Amino acid sequence: MTEEKDENKLIAERRAKLDALRESGNAFPNDFRRNALAGQLHQTFESHEDEALRDEHIKVAVSGRMMAKRVMGKASFIKLQDRSGQIQIRLERDRLPEGVYQSFKKWDVGDIVGTQGELFRTQTGELTVMADSARLLTKSLRPLPEKWHGLSDQETRYRQRYVDLIINESSREVFRTRSQIITYMRSFLEAADFMEVETPMMQILAGGANARPFTTHHNALDMQLYLRIAPELNLKRLIVGGFDRVYEINRNFRNEGVSTQHNPEFTMMEAYRAYADFTDWIDMTEAMLHGMSEAVLGTTLVTYQGETFDFGKAFKRITVEDAIRIYNPEFDMSKIRDRDYLVEYCKKLGIAVHDNYGEGKLQIEIFDATGEEHLREPTFVTHYPTEVSPLSRKNDDDPFVSDRFEFFIAGREIANGFSELNDPEDQAERFRAQVENKAAGDDEAMAYDHDYIRALEFGMPPTAGIGIGIDRLVMLLTDSASIRDVLLFPHMRPEVFD
RNA sequence: GGGGCGUUAGCUCAGUGGUAGAGCAUUCGGCUUUUAACCGACUGGUCGAAGGUUCAAAUCCUUCACGCCCCA
């Protein structure tokens, strides 16, 4: 007992009960089998009155965590919670085998219990199981949070997600919705004949995006590897290979700060479709979000943090230069591509300007600083400067911009898509420009990927692709303020155990 | 990186210099249709950590840790 002497009294009491269970037999049995879930029973017998239930003698076996225990002398009510919901059980001393009721009185809220009995309704109409047997299946040593106020401490909710999930239905609902969103997305893409693939997380070069990577080390090969920042270049290699509709839903890793919008690892869906351009992806994105909101929320009206957006109607479309004009009334649009004017304007906004910034980069700095946050309604912003789109195809009529869009809702970027650059010589030039940027101090610039150029030299059919940030989408559809609320196990600094 | 707020019993929270509190939970007793069950009694603390000021610190000061929010 010495190692437990520091434990609090509540745990010590429960541990003593577990010791007693061990002495009287198997304390962790695994031979109980349920045949019903709480939620199913409520649904199936929704319209059955008490009398009808008793006449039919419906015998069920249910199990779950005991979330409430109300003892009234020789009879009690408890609530068992399984993955589908809660069901009430009535235990009467004289209906249970000898000694069971006496044992039951020592069980604690939080214990895992299995029981069998017949369905009835109480005086207040609650569907209940009249137990004719009951067993303690797993002893819970730690007390659950208080029944009324529950668990509200953010840190504990994130660090001990298991407790959060036991206690907070709203939290369970967020993660069910997350699963439904991803399921919907898969079925949408599968219906359009896309093939799901998996590409490496560990890469020799971390390409496909402008971001700092995590590094790791392969011992046997004694080499540095990077965790991927995007799957893009590998997915396009597959387009070259002839799998001309592919997608991947998986984790990306970016070595950046942690905030309500950023987690070092996050989930991205990327899809590539040959013989299509970026406008096809704009249309598909619209259709997918329309269907997703109906399938997951049952409505196309999405309310996020007090704002309501209609996913049922066509989304707005504006160009980057439009956005600059709209949100900067004093901006002289005749000088939208005048480097000196752009530099001066950036400085006025307090934006740090580097010597190697071209007109496109300067435009995007202004757009990020003045436009993004105002894009509340779902909006496709198109015609991104080619300078900041190193993997995008140049626009045929205006090579200053590329055939690219980003999609914003509530001031946040949700998706990024473009017609892919499939000219290997142009791509090689873009990589060289990235390498120059890197040399000039931009540690988010891309490296030159020789193999990717080689792949393009075999010929990549005209293609368009999209990336959708799953976590941010889930935040929107679950009205969650923080990315941590939609990640089961968000990144946290290490906890101190003393 | 900067700023603000927070950390007190298992949980939710009071307590702004003078004997650490409440509700729920736990423990014990009572109760065969409860719904935050109820009634009675009891119990539970390194006040995030370390240092400082003071006759006296949960409370004031400093540093640190962790969390939340905002900004870069």
Side-chain angles (χ1 to χ4, degrees):
Chain A
M1 281 303 272
T2 49
E3 66 195 32
E4 282 126 45
K5 72 178 184 220
D6 293 331
E7 274 181 353
N8 84 54
K9 198 185 83 181
L10 298 174
I11 296 177
E13 281 163 0
R14 289 181 176 214
R15 207 177 282 279
K17 290 177 182 176
L18 175 59
D19 288 342
L21 285 172
R22 287 187 200 280
E23 274 169 35
S24 64
N26 188 351
F28 292 91
N30 188 355
D31 58 345
F32 181 88
R33 294 296 176 263
R34 65 182 166 189
N35 62 16
L37 292 173
Q40 286 172 358
L41 292 175
H42 288 297
Q43 223 169 20
T44 307
F45 300 103
E46 194 179 8
S47 55
H48 283 58
E49 302 294 330
D50 181 44
E51 203 176 320
L53 287 170
R54 288 178 193 264
D55 285 351
E56 288 186 40
H57 296 285
I58 304 152
K59 192 152 188 168
V60 298
V62 293
S63 55
R65 193 177 297 276
M66 185 162 71
M67 299 302 290
K69 185 187 182 197
R70 293 185 281 269
V71 179
M72 292 153 299
K74 297 178 188 64
S76 300
F77 287 102
I78 64 172
K79 287 228 167 146
L80 295 187
Q81 175 172 291
D82 61 30
R83 69 170 184 274
S84 70
Q86 296 190 348
I87 182 90
Q88 181 168 260
I89 316 295
R90 179 170 169 85
L91 299 104
E92 296 183 359
R93 188 191 67 182
D94 299 337
R95 276 178 185 266
L96 291 164
E98 185 74 28
V100 169
Y101 192 77
Q102 209 172 357
S103 307
F104 154 76
K105 281 186 154 184
K106 296 223 177 291
W107 300 351
D108 294 294
V109 169
D111 288 351
I112 307 296
V113 169
T115 185
Q116 291 185 50
E118 292 184 5
L119 292 173
F120 76 106
R121 282 190 192 279
T122 62
Q123 289 173 349
T124 53
E126 180 162 353
L127 186 68
T128 304
V129 178
M130 181 67 80
D132 46 48
S133 72
R135 293 173 65 192
L136 175 57
L137 301 177
T138 306
K139 184 69 200 166
S140 171
L141 294 177
R142 291 180 179 269
L144 289 174
E146 193 231 345
K147 61 191 169 190
W148 186 240
H149 298 93
L151 176 66
S152 57
D153 182 74
Q154 291 280 46
E155 187 171 354
T156 310
R157 287 189 50 224
Y158 296 148
R159 285 195 197 279
Q160 300 179 43
R161 183 66 89 184
Y162 37 89
V163 180
D164 179 42
L165 292 172
I166 291 169
I167 296 297
N168 295 314
E169 167 60 19
S170 59
S171 191
R172 292 193 290 273
E173 195 53 34
V174 164
F175 294 105
R176 286 191 203 108
T177 301
R178 183 181 175 114
S179 172
Q180 287 166 8
I181 287 168
I182 292 170
T183 298
Y184 180 86
M185 197 174 269
R186 277 211 170 87
S187 61
F188 181 92
L189 290 164
E190 295 289 336
D193 202 22
F194 281 75
M195 179 171 95
E196 184 169 15
V197 296
E198 294 174 87
T199 63
M201 299 277 173
M202 294 195 291
Q203 304 181 338
I204 291 164
L205 289 177
N210 291 108
R212 266 176 294 187
F214 284 93
T215 56
T216 186
H217 187 260
H218 190 295
N219 289 339
L221 299 182
D222 188 25
M223 66 183 296
Q224 178 170 265
L225 288 170
Y226 299 97
L227 299 187
R228 77 178 191 192
I229 56 176
E232 172 154 356
L233 300 184
N234 278 329
L235 293 175
K236 287 192 282 195
R237 285 177 172 99
L238 297 178
I239 299 285
V240 171
F243 288 144
D244 61 21
R245 288 193 183 190
V246 292
Y247 73 100
E248 177 164 10
I249 297 175
N250 227 323
R251 223 64 62 81
N252 288 346
F253 306 85
R254 295 187 184 176
N255 209 336
E256 300 164 349
V258 178
S259 76
T260 51
Q261 311 294 319
H262 298 89
N263 195 68
E265 52 180 302
F266 62 98
T267 302
M268 181 83 108
M269 190 287 289
E270 284 202 14
Y272 293 84
R273 174 182 175 188
Y275 314 107
D277 68 16
F278 76 111
T279 63
D280 294 308
W281 271 118
I282 287 179
D283 295 341
M284 278 186 78
T285 303
E286 224 167 51
M288 186 174 72
L289 290 179
H290 180 119
M292 181 184 289
S293 59
E294 282 195 327
V296 171
L297 303 177
T299 169
T300 58
L301 295 178
V302 177
T303 296
Y304 185 70
Q305 307 288 296
E307 291 178 276
T308 298
F309 309 111
D310 189 353
F311 278 31
K313 63 181 191 193
F315 298 148
K316 286 202 302 196
R317 302 177 189 197
I318 61 172
T319 67
V320 169
E321 291 185 358
D322 283 339
I324 291 175
R325 176 174 50 76
I326 292 165
Y327 299 109
N328 296 273
E330 71 285 17
F331 191 95
D332 180 355
M333 289 304 289
S334 71
K335 297 178 177 171
I336 184 68
R337 295 182 188 176
D338 178 328
R339 189 169 188 283
D340 291 340
Y341 182 75
L342 288 164
V343 167
E344 187 193 331
Y345 197 85
C346 277
K347 286 184 172 162
K348 211 169 71 188
L349 291 173
I351 297 166
V353 175
H354 293 98
D355 291 344
N356 64 338
Y357 284 8
E359 293 82 357
K361 174 68 173 168
L362 292 163
Q363 279 190 1
I364 228 56
E365 289 287 328
I366 294 167
F367 169 75
D368 285 350
T370 62
E372 248 188 64
E373 63 182 305
H374 300 297
L375 298 169
R376 313 305 303 180
E377 287 292 317
T379 305
F380 292 101
V381 178
T382 61
H383 298 78
Y384 272 67
T386 301
E387 182 186 350
V388 297
S389 311
L391 304 170
S392 303
R393 182 183 188 282
K394 279 177 192 158
N395 184 272
D396 288 337
D397 301 322
D398 179 6
F400 177 82
V401 295
S402 58
D403 290 337
R404 175 181 170 194
F405 69 91
E406 286 197 1
F407 180 55
F408 293 87
I409 305 175
R412 292 174 192 168
E413 181 198 337
I414 300 296
N416 176 24
F418 40 88
S419 302
E420 302 301 334
L421 175 54
N422 63 340
D423 173 346
E425 292 171 1
D426 189 355
Q427 182 67 73
E429 257 178 63
R430 307 277 194 99
F431 276 149
R432 281 191 286 271
Q434 288 288 309
V435 170
E436 278 176 32
N437 288 347
K438 187 154 234 155
D442 180 358
D443 52 12
E444 293 190 348
M446 294 175 185
Y448 192 104
D449 190 330
H450 294 275
D451 176 74
Y452 181 66
I453 297 296
R454 178 168 61 191
L456 291 186
E457 285 169 352
F458 278 92
M460 180 169 78
T463 297
I466 189 173
I468 297 179
I470 300 294
D471 309 289
R472 289 183 182 179
L473 186 58
V474 175
M475 285 171 70
L476 264 167
L477 295 180
T478 58
D479 198 11
S480 299
S482 170
I483 195 170
R484 287 181 283 263
D485 294 326
V486 303
L487 297 170
L488 281 167
F489 301 103
H491 178 77
M492 302 286 277
R493 283 196 162 84
E495 188 178 359
V496 180
F497 288 94
D498 43 20

